[in-house]
PDB file of all heavy atoms in Angstrom:
ATOM      1  N   ARG A 202      99.143 102.990  92.037  1.00  0.00           N
ATOM      2  CA  ARG A 202     100.396 102.245  91.883  1.00  0.00           C
ATOM      3  C   ARG A 202     101.502 103.211  91.467  1.00  0.00           C
ATOM      4  O   ARG A 202     101.281 104.112  90.669  1.00  0.00           O
ATOM      5  CB  ARG A 202     100.262 101.143  90.831  1.00  0.00           C
ATOM      6  CG  ARG A 202     101.567 100.338  90.601  1.00  0.00           C
ATOM      7  CD  ARG A 202     101.342  99.149  89.697  1.00  0.00           C
ATOM      8  NE  ARG A 202     100.799  99.544  88.411  1.00  0.00           N
ATOM      9  CZ  ARG A 202     100.145  98.724  87.593  1.00  0.00           C
ATOM     10  NH1 ARG A 202      99.944  97.467  87.945  1.00  0.00           N
ATOM     11  NH2 ARG A 202      99.682  99.160  86.436  1.00  0.00           N
ATOM     12  N   TYR A 203     102.678 102.994  92.034  1.00  0.00           N
ATOM     13  CA  TYR A 203     103.829 103.849  91.718  1.00  0.00           C
ATOM     14  C   TYR A 203     105.038 102.986  91.418  1.00  0.00           C
ATOM     15  O   TYR A 203     105.395 102.110  92.199  1.00  0.00           O
ATOM     16  CB  TYR A 203     104.127 104.773  92.896  1.00  0.00           C
ATOM     17  CG  TYR A 203     105.389 105.594  92.750  1.00  0.00           C
ATOM     18  CD1 TYR A 203     105.580 106.422  91.647  1.00  0.00           C
ATOM     19  CD2 TYR A 203     106.382 105.557  93.723  1.00  0.00           C
ATOM     20  CE1 TYR A 203     106.740 107.180  91.518  1.00  0.00           C
ATOM     21  CE2 TYR A 203     107.533 106.324  93.605  1.00  0.00           C
ATOM     22  CZ  TYR A 203     107.707 107.125  92.493  1.00  0.00           C
ATOM     23  OH  TYR A 203     108.855 107.881  92.369  1.00  0.00           O
ATOM     24  N   GLU A 204     105.634 103.218  90.277  1.00  0.00           N
ATOM     25  CA  GLU A 204     106.869 102.527  89.898  1.00  0.00           C
ATOM     26  C   GLU A 204     107.991 103.555  89.885  1.00  0.00           C
ATOM     27  O   GLU A 204     107.968 104.504  89.101  1.00  0.00           O
ATOM     28  CB  GLU A 204     106.722 101.880  88.511  1.00  0.00           C
ATOM     29  CG  GLU A 204     105.671 100.782  88.461  1.00  0.00           C
ATOM     30  CD  GLU A 204     105.526 100.170  87.076  1.00  0.00           C
ATOM     31  OE1 GLU A 204     106.477 100.327  86.271  1.00  0.00           O
ATOM     32  OE2 GLU A 204     104.474  99.578  86.788  1.00  0.00           O
ATOM     33  N   ARG A 205     108.959 103.367  90.760  1.00  0.00           N
ATOM     34  CA  ARG A 205     110.067 104.312  90.843  1.00  0.00           C
ATOM     35  C   ARG A 205     111.024 104.119  89.678  1.00  0.00           C
ATOM     36  O   ARG A 205     111.212 103.003  89.188  1.00  0.00           O
ATOM     37  CB  ARG A 205     110.822 104.145  92.163  1.00  0.00           C
ATOM     38  CG  ARG A 205     109.983 104.404  93.388  1.00  0.00           C
ATOM     39  CD  ARG A 205     110.786 104.230  94.657  1.00  0.00           C
ATOM     40  NE  ARG A 205     111.746 105.318  94.847  1.00  0.00           N
ATOM     41  CZ  ARG A 205     112.645 105.323  95.825  1.00  0.00           C
ATOM     42  NH1 ARG A 205     112.722 104.303  96.673  1.00  0.00           N
ATOM     43  NH2 ARG A 205     113.474 106.339  95.955  1.00  0.00           N
ATOM     44  N   ALA A 206     111.635 105.202  89.264  1.00  0.00           N
ATOM     45  CA  ALA A 206     112.598 105.137  88.161  1.00  0.00           C
ATOM     46  C   ALA A 206     113.840 104.369  88.595  1.00  0.00           C
ATOM     47  O   ALA A 206     114.170 104.302  89.785  1.00  0.00           O
ATOM     48  CB  ALA A 206     112.981 106.550  87.729  1.00  0.00           C
ATOM     49  N   GLY A 207     114.525 103.774  87.623  1.00  0.00           N
ATOM     50  CA  GLY A 207     115.797 103.107  87.897  1.00  0.00           C
ATOM     51  C   GLY A 207     115.704 101.880  88.763  1.00  0.00           C
ATOM     52  O   GLY A 207     116.657 101.551  89.479  1.00  0.00           O
ATOM     53  N   GLY A 208     114.560 101.192  88.731  1.00  0.00           N
ATOM     54  CA  GLY A 208     114.417  99.984  89.541  1.00  0.00           C
ATOM     55  C   GLY A 208     114.343 100.258  91.027  1.00  0.00           C
ATOM     56  O   GLY A 208     114.760  99.424  91.845  1.00  0.00           O
ATOM     57  N   GLY A 209     113.813 101.426  91.380  1.00  0.00           N
ATOM     58  CA  GLY A 209     113.751 101.807  92.788  1.00  0.00           C
ATOM     59  C   GLY A 209     112.588 101.235  93.562  1.00  0.00           C
ATOM     60  O   GLY A 209     112.389 101.573  94.722  1.00  0.00           O
ATOM     61  N   GLY A 210     111.816 100.345  92.923  1.00  0.00           N
ATOM     62  CA  GLY A 210     110.722  99.679  93.628  1.00  0.00           C
ATOM     63  C   GLY A 210     109.359 100.006  93.048  1.00  0.00           C
ATOM     64  O   GLY A 210     109.204 100.928  92.240  1.00  0.00           O
ATOM     65  N   THR A 211     108.378  99.221  93.452  1.00  0.00           N
ATOM     66  CA  THR A 211     106.989  99.408  93.022  1.00  0.00           C
ATOM     67  C   THR A 211     106.077  99.326  94.238  1.00  0.00           C
ATOM     68  O   THR A 211     106.206  98.409  95.054  1.00  0.00           O
ATOM     69  CB  THR A 211     106.581  98.325  92.007  1.00  0.00           C
ATOM     70  OG1 THR A 211     107.432  98.405  90.860  1.00  0.00           O
ATOM     71  CG2 THR A 211     105.140  98.523  91.561  1.00  0.00           C
ATOM     72  N   LEU A 212     105.178 100.273  94.358  1.00  0.00           N
ATOM     73  CA  LEU A 212     104.257 100.315  95.486  1.00  0.00           C
ATOM     74  C   LEU A 212     102.819 100.353  94.988  1.00  0.00           C
ATOM     75  O   LEU A 212     102.517 101.019  94.002  1.00  0.00           O
ATOM     76  CB  LEU A 212     104.519 101.561  96.343  1.00  0.00           C
ATOM     77  CG  LEU A 212     105.887 101.656  97.020  1.00  0.00           C
ATOM     78  CD1 LEU A 212     106.082 103.057  97.594  1.00  0.00           C
ATOM     79  CD2 LEU A 212     106.014 100.613  98.125  1.00  0.00           C
ATOM     80  N   THR A 213     101.948  99.634  95.669  1.00  0.00           N
ATOM     81  CA  THR A 213     100.515  99.723  95.395  1.00  0.00           C
ATOM     82  C   THR A 213      99.849 100.384  96.603  1.00  0.00           C
ATOM     83  O   THR A 213     100.281 100.188  97.746  1.00  0.00           O
ATOM     84  CB  THR A 213      99.888  98.348  95.147  1.00  0.00           C
ATOM     85  OG1 THR A 213     100.109  97.504  96.293  1.00  0.00           O
ATOM     86  CG2 THR A 213     100.496  97.688  93.925  1.00  0.00           C
ATOM     87  N   LEU A 214      98.797 101.156  96.326  1.00  0.00           N
ATOM     88  CA  LEU A 214      98.104 101.888  97.376  1.00  0.00           C
ATOM     89  C   LEU A 214      96.628 101.544  97.339  1.00  0.00           C
ATOM     90  O   LEU A 214      96.013 101.516  96.275  1.00  0.00           O
ATOM     91  CB  LEU A 214      98.307 103.390  97.186  1.00  0.00           C
ATOM     92  CG  LEU A 214      99.781 103.812  97.223  1.00  0.00           C
ATOM     93  CD1 LEU A 214     100.279 104.066  95.806  1.00  0.00           C
ATOM     94  CD2 LEU A 214      99.972 105.048  98.072  1.00  0.00           C
ATOM     95  N   SER A 215      96.068 101.257  98.504  1.00  0.00           N
ATOM     96  CA  SER A 215      94.669 100.840  98.597  1.00  0.00           C
ATOM     97  C   SER A 215      94.070 101.336  99.910  1.00  0.00           C
ATOM     98  O   SER A 215      94.742 101.997 100.708  1.00  0.00           O
ATOM     99  CB  SER A 215      94.569  99.315  98.505  1.00  0.00           C
ATOM    100  OG  SER A 215      95.296  98.702  99.563  1.00  0.00           O
ATOM    101  N   ASP A 216      92.806 100.996 100.129  1.00  0.00           N
ATOM    102  CA  ASP A 216      92.112 101.355 101.371  1.00  0.00           C
ATOM    103  C   ASP A 216      92.175 102.851 101.664  1.00  0.00           C
ATOM    104  O   ASP A 216      92.281 103.279 102.821  1.00  0.00           O
ATOM    105  CB  ASP A 216      92.677 100.571 102.564  1.00  0.00           C
ATOM    106  CG  ASP A 216      92.483  99.079 102.429  1.00  0.00           C
ATOM    107  OD1 ASP A 216      91.700  98.660 101.566  1.00  0.00           O
ATOM    108  OD2 ASP A 216      93.137  98.315 103.166  1.00  0.00           O
ATOM    109  N   TRP A 217      92.113 103.652 100.607  1.00  0.00           N
ATOM    110  CA  TRP A 217      92.123 105.101 100.791  1.00  0.00           C
ATOM    111  C   TRP A 217      90.918 105.537 101.637  1.00  0.00           C
ATOM    112  O   TRP A 217      89.794 105.148 101.374  1.00  0.00           O
ATOM    113  CB  TRP A 217      92.065 105.798  99.441  1.00  0.00           C
ATOM    114  CG  TRP A 217      93.359 105.793  98.693  1.00  0.00           C
ATOM    115  CD1 TRP A 217      93.688 104.992  97.625  1.00  0.00           C
ATOM    116  CD2 TRP A 217      94.500 106.618  98.913  1.00  0.00           C
ATOM    117  NE1 TRP A 217      94.958 105.274  97.181  1.00  0.00           N
ATOM    118  CE2 TRP A 217      95.483 106.274  97.955  1.00  0.00           C
ATOM    119  CE3 TRP A 217      94.777 107.632  99.844  1.00  0.00           C
ATOM    120  CZ2 TRP A 217      96.726 106.896  97.892  1.00  0.00           C
ATOM    121  CZ3 TRP A 217      96.028 108.257  99.788  1.00  0.00           C
ATOM    122  CH2 TRP A 217      96.975 107.894  98.824  1.00  0.00           C
ATOM    123  N   GLY A 218      91.194 106.331 102.663  1.00  0.00           N
ATOM    124  CA  GLY A 218      90.134 106.875 103.500  1.00  0.00           C
ATOM    125  C   GLY A 218      89.551 105.899 104.498  1.00  0.00           C
ATOM    126  O   GLY A 218      88.638 106.266 105.237  1.00  0.00           O
ATOM    127  N   GLN A 219      90.068 104.676 104.547  1.00  0.00           N
ATOM    128  CA  GLN A 219      89.561 103.687 105.512  1.00  0.00           C
ATOM    129  C   GLN A 219      90.380 103.813 106.796  1.00  0.00           C
ATOM    130  O   GLN A 219      91.455 103.213 106.925  1.00  0.00           O
ATOM    131  CB  GLN A 219      89.645 102.279 104.926  1.00  0.00           C
ATOM    132  CG  GLN A 219      88.756 102.080 103.716  1.00  0.00           C
ATOM    133  CD  GLN A 219      88.747 100.655 103.215  1.00  0.00           C
ATOM    134  OE1 GLN A 219      89.025  99.711 103.969  1.00  0.00           O
ATOM    135  NE2 GLN A 219      88.421 100.470 101.950  1.00  0.00           N
ATOM    136  N   ASP A 220      89.872 104.584 107.717  1.00  0.00           N
ATOM    137  CA  ASP A 220      90.603 104.894 108.944  1.00  0.00           C
ATOM    138  C   ASP A 220      90.737 103.661 109.835  1.00  0.00           C
ATOM    139  O   ASP A 220      89.996 102.681 109.705  1.00  0.00           O
ATOM    140  CB  ASP A 220      89.899 106.010 109.704  1.00  0.00           C
ATOM    141  CG  ASP A 220      90.869 106.830 110.539  1.00  0.00           C
ATOM    142  OD1 ASP A 220      92.057 106.461 110.603  1.00  0.00           O
ATOM    143  OD2 ASP A 220      90.440 107.835 111.137  1.00  0.00           O
ATOM    144  N   PHE A 221      91.685 103.720 110.747  1.00  0.00           N
ATOM    145  CA  PHE A 221      91.925 102.602 111.661  1.00  0.00           C
ATOM    146  C   PHE A 221      92.446 103.157 112.981  1.00  0.00           C
ATOM    147  O   PHE A 221      92.931 104.288 113.055  1.00  0.00           O
ATOM    148  CB  PHE A 221      92.934 101.620 111.058  1.00  0.00           C
ATOM    149  CG  PHE A 221      94.282 102.231 110.752  1.00  0.00           C
ATOM    150  CD1 PHE A 221      95.334 102.136 111.651  1.00  0.00           C
ATOM    151  CD2 PHE A 221      94.497 102.923 109.565  1.00  0.00           C
ATOM    152  CE1 PHE A 221      96.565 102.711 111.381  1.00  0.00           C
ATOM    153  CE2 PHE A 221      95.720 103.504 109.271  1.00  0.00           C
ATOM    154  CZ  PHE A 221      96.751 103.391 110.181  1.00  0.00           C
ATOM    155  N   THR A 222      92.359 102.350 114.023  1.00  0.00           N
ATOM    156  CA  THR A 222      92.818 102.765 115.353  1.00  0.00           C
ATOM    157  C   THR A 222      94.326 102.593 115.465  1.00  0.00           C
ATOM    158  O   THR A 222      94.880 101.561 115.080  1.00  0.00           O
ATOM    159  CB  THR A 222      92.133 101.935 116.444  1.00  0.00           C
ATOM    160  OG1 THR A 222      90.709 102.118 116.346  1.00  0.00           O
ATOM    161  CG2 THR A 222      92.596 102.370 117.824  1.00  0.00           C
ATOM    162  N   LEU A 223      94.976 103.596 115.985  1.00  0.00           N
ATOM    163  CA  LEU A 223      96.427 103.565 116.174  1.00  0.00           C
ATOM    164  C   LEU A 223      96.720 103.923 117.618  1.00  0.00           C
ATOM    165  O   LEU A 223      96.369 105.014 118.078  1.00  0.00           O
ATOM    166  CB  LEU A 223      97.083 104.572 115.223  1.00  0.00           C
ATOM    167  CG  LEU A 223      98.595 104.498 115.047  1.00  0.00           C
ATOM    168  CD1 LEU A 223      98.991 103.172 114.406  1.00  0.00           C
ATOM    169  CD2 LEU A 223      99.077 105.652 114.178  1.00  0.00           C
ATOM    170  N   ALA A 224      97.327 102.999 118.352  1.00  0.00           N
ATOM    171  CA  ALA A 224      97.584 103.231 119.771  1.00  0.00           C
ATOM    172  C   ALA A 224      98.931 102.646 120.170  1.00  0.00           C
ATOM    173  O   ALA A 224      99.395 101.666 119.580  1.00  0.00           O
ATOM    174  CB  ALA A 224      96.478 102.602 120.621  1.00  0.00           C
ATOM    175  N   ALA A 225      99.548 103.252 121.157  1.00  0.00           N
ATOM    176  CA  ALA A 225     100.825 102.758 121.667  1.00  0.00           C
ATOM    177  C   ALA A 225     100.605 101.413 122.355  1.00  0.00           C
ATOM    178  O   ALA A 225      99.534 101.151 122.907  1.00  0.00           O
ATOM    179  CB  ALA A 225     101.411 103.755 122.652  1.00  0.00           C
ATOM    180  N   PRO A 226     101.601 100.523 122.310  1.00  0.00           N
ATOM    181  CA  PRO A 226     101.456  99.222 122.979  1.00  0.00           C
ATOM    182  C   PRO A 226     101.418  99.390 124.493  1.00  0.00           C
ATOM    183  O   PRO A 226     101.854 100.404 125.040  1.00  0.00           O
ATOM    184  CB  PRO A 226     102.711  98.468 122.535  1.00  0.00           C
ATOM    185  CG  PRO A 226     103.699  99.540 122.200  1.00  0.00           C
ATOM    186  CD  PRO A 226     102.900 100.676 121.647  1.00  0.00           C
ATOM    187  N   ALA A 227     100.898  98.383 125.150  1.00  0.00           N
ATOM    188  CA  ALA A 227     100.854  98.405 126.615  1.00  0.00           C
ATOM    189  C   ALA A 227     102.282  98.418 127.167  1.00  0.00           C
ATOM    190  O   ALA A 227     103.206  97.882 126.557  1.00  0.00           O
ATOM    191  CB  ALA A 227     100.110  97.180 127.124  1.00  0.00           C
ATOM    192  N   LYS A 228     102.474  99.044 128.317  1.00  0.00           N
ATOM    193  CA  LYS A 228     103.811  99.142 128.914  1.00  0.00           C
ATOM    194  C   LYS A 228     104.450  97.779 129.136  1.00  0.00           C
ATOM    195  O   LYS A 228     105.669  97.631 129.044  1.00  0.00           O
ATOM    196  CB  LYS A 228     103.731  99.902 130.240  1.00  0.00           C
ATOM    197  CG  LYS A 228     103.433 101.388 130.072  1.00  0.00           C
ATOM    198  CD  LYS A 228     103.466 102.107 131.415  1.00  0.00           C
ATOM    199  CE  LYS A 228     103.218 103.609 131.244  1.00  0.00           C
ATOM    200  NZ  LYS A 228     103.264 104.328 132.538  1.00  0.00           N
ATOM    201  N   SER A 229     103.623  96.783 129.423  1.00  0.00           N
ATOM    202  CA  SER A 229     104.153  95.440 129.670  1.00  0.00           C
ATOM    203  C   SER A 229     104.738  94.805 128.406  1.00  0.00           C
ATOM    204  O   SER A 229     105.487  93.834 128.484  1.00  0.00           O
ATOM    205  CB  SER A 229     103.043  94.530 130.210  1.00  0.00           C
ATOM    206  OG  SER A 229     101.970  94.430 129.284  1.00  0.00           O
ATOM    207  N   GLU A 230     104.408  95.383 127.228  1.00  0.00           N
ATOM    208  CA  GLU A 230     104.898  94.840 125.960  1.00  0.00           C
ATOM    209  C   GLU A 230     106.100  95.603 125.422  1.00  0.00           C
ATOM    210  O   GLU A 230     106.612  95.299 124.350  1.00  0.00           O
ATOM    211  CB  GLU A 230     103.780  94.881 124.916  1.00  0.00           C
ATOM    212  CG  GLU A 230     102.557  94.057 125.282  1.00  0.00           C
ATOM    213  CD  GLU A 230     101.457  94.187 124.240  1.00  0.00           C
ATOM    214  OE1 GLU A 230     101.646  94.950 123.263  1.00  0.00           O
ATOM    215  OE2 GLU A 230     100.426  93.541 124.389  1.00  0.00           O
ATOM    216  N   VAL A 231     106.565  96.613 126.181  1.00  0.00           N
ATOM    217  CA  VAL A 231     107.627  97.488 125.698  1.00  0.00           C
ATOM    218  C   VAL A 231     108.888  97.357 126.556  1.00  0.00           C
ATOM    219  O   VAL A 231     108.803  97.268 127.777  1.00  0.00           O
ATOM    220  CB  VAL A 231     107.148  98.958 125.714  1.00  0.00           C
ATOM    221  CG1 VAL A 231     108.255  99.900 125.219  1.00  0.00           C
ATOM    222  CG2 VAL A 231     105.900  99.125 124.868  1.00  0.00           C
ATOM    223  N   VAL A 232     110.033  97.357 125.876  1.00  0.00           N
ATOM    224  CA  VAL A 232     111.312  97.437 126.584  1.00  0.00           C
ATOM    225  C   VAL A 232     112.019  98.697 126.083  1.00  0.00           C
ATOM    226  O   VAL A 232     111.812  99.148 124.969  1.00  0.00           O
ATOM    227  CB  VAL A 232     112.213  96.208 126.331  1.00  0.00           C
ATOM    228  CG1 VAL A 232     111.608  94.973 126.967  1.00  0.00           C
ATOM    229  CG2 VAL A 232     112.407  95.987 124.835  1.00  0.00           C
ATOM    230  N   ASP A 233     112.842  99.266 126.945  1.00  0.00           N
ATOM    231  CA  ASP A 233     113.560 100.501 126.604  1.00  0.00           C
ATOM    232  C   ASP A 233     114.848 100.134 125.892  1.00  0.00           C
ATOM    233  O   ASP A 233     115.756  99.557 126.492  1.00  0.00           O
ATOM    234  CB  ASP A 233     113.847 101.299 127.877  1.00  0.00           C
ATOM    235  CG  ASP A 233     114.335 102.702 127.553  1.00  0.00           C
ATOM    236  OD1 ASP A 233     115.235 102.830 126.697  1.00  0.00           O
ATOM    237  OD2 ASP A 233     113.823 103.662 128.139  1.00  0.00           O
TER     238      ASP A 233
END
Side-chain angles (χ1 to χ4, degrees):
R202 179 172 57 201
Y203 173 56
E204 296 179 20
R205 299 180 72 186
T211 300
L212 297 169
T213 58
L214 300 103
S215 60
D216 297 346
W217 284 103
Q219 296 185 24
D220 208 354
F221 60 96
T222 301
L223 192 64
K228 290 184 178 181
S229 60
E230 299 177 358
V231 180
V232 292
D233 191 312

